Amino acid sequence: MDITVVGEGAVLAVPDILRLHAGVEVRRASAADAFAAVRAAAARLAEALSGAGIAAEDVRTAELSLGPEYESYPKVAAYRGARGVEVVVRDLAGADGVIDTVAGVGEEARLNGVVFEVSDPDGALREARVLAFRDAAAKAAQYAELSGRPLGRVVSVSEEVESGPQPLTMAAADSGASISPGRRTLSVRVRVGYDFA
């Protein structure tokens, strides 16, 4: 093997799934009261999400915490309890409604961010592989020309898939939506080894 090059290919895909990070948080005088209150608030949140059409298997516990908050150590001012969930929203048209549902749980509700995903990236990745391989072939051909030798056959190929940034862009003001999935870059890097002919 005499030439090894790295080719890159990237395509843009529109996300069709939203992962919403939400939860409930309370502050009470005792640990027992905080735990009971966060449990009750979490139950209200679960019921609200179910009412919004979110399937139970699309809700995953992501955080469970209980601990003291100090006025000045070691004097405890209160106890904080929190429970966080990751909610998979499979219908982006209804995402605003789900977010409103979480906010409607009450003062304990927390919204901690969103992540957009492409549920079936295979087609986009196939296209990115073609682009990456063509890029590698063009580079190898240029190096062969620069060296004054003919390019031979491919002797090795390896790849690594990269996920690009997941933009969160605000929707147009007249759309009424608070979030927009934007587009996500799916990229592939391929390392190709060639022999000289």
Side-chain angles (χ1 to χ4, degrees):
M1 179 170 60
D2 297 301
I3 298 178
T4 300
V5 291
V6 174
E8 298 186 26
V11 296
L12 295 174
V14 177
D16 57 349
I17 286 181
L18 169 69
R19 291 187 185 273
L20 172 65
H21 299 279
V24 291
E25 181 179 345
V26 301
R27 193 170 183 267
R28 298 289 187 271
S30 74
D33 287 347
F35 192 72
V38 81
R39 177 178 282 176
R44 289 197 309 276
L45 176 60
E47 185 178 346
L49 289 170
S50 177
I54 301 296
E57 59 267 22
D58 284 334
V59 180
R60 178 181 68 88
T61 301
E63 177 197 0
L64 181 61
S65 63
L66 175 67
E69 291 183 347
Y70 296 100
E71 183 178 309
S72 60
Y73 190 81
K75 186 176 181 182
V76 174
Y79 287 84
R80 175 192 168 275
R83 182 170 178 188
V85 293
E86 180 185 76
V87 182
V88 178
V89 180
R90 299 184 185 280
D91 175 15
L92 291 187
D96 272 328
V98 175
I99 291 169
D100 290 343
T101 295
V102 172
V105 167
E107 64 182 16
E108 300 94 346
R110 298 292 182 267
L111 292 168
N112 300 317
V114 297
V115 176
F116 291 100
E117 292 182 3
V118 178
S119 62
D120 186 12
D122 291 345
L125 288 173
R126 276 194 295 272
E127 186 180 344
R129 284 186 191 101
V130 170
L131 296 173
F133 198 85
R134 286 179 183 164
D135 182 44
K139 289 176 181 176
Q142 182 181 15
Y143 282 122
E145 182 182 348
L146 290 170
S147 67
R149 300 178 65 185
L151 188 63
R153 63 187 179 90
V154 173
V155 295
S156 67
V157 178
S158 62
E159 80 160 27
E160 57 183 71
V161 177
E162 299 175 351
S163 294
Q166 302 172 13
L168 171 60
T169 57
M170 296 308 290
D174 59 357
S175 74
S178 62
I179 60 169
S180 172
R183 292 187 293 178
R184 182 174 176 189
T185 301
L186 298 177
S187 60
V188 171
R189 286 171 49 100
V190 63
R191 184 178 301 275
V192 184
Y194 291 84
D195 271 339
F196 283 121

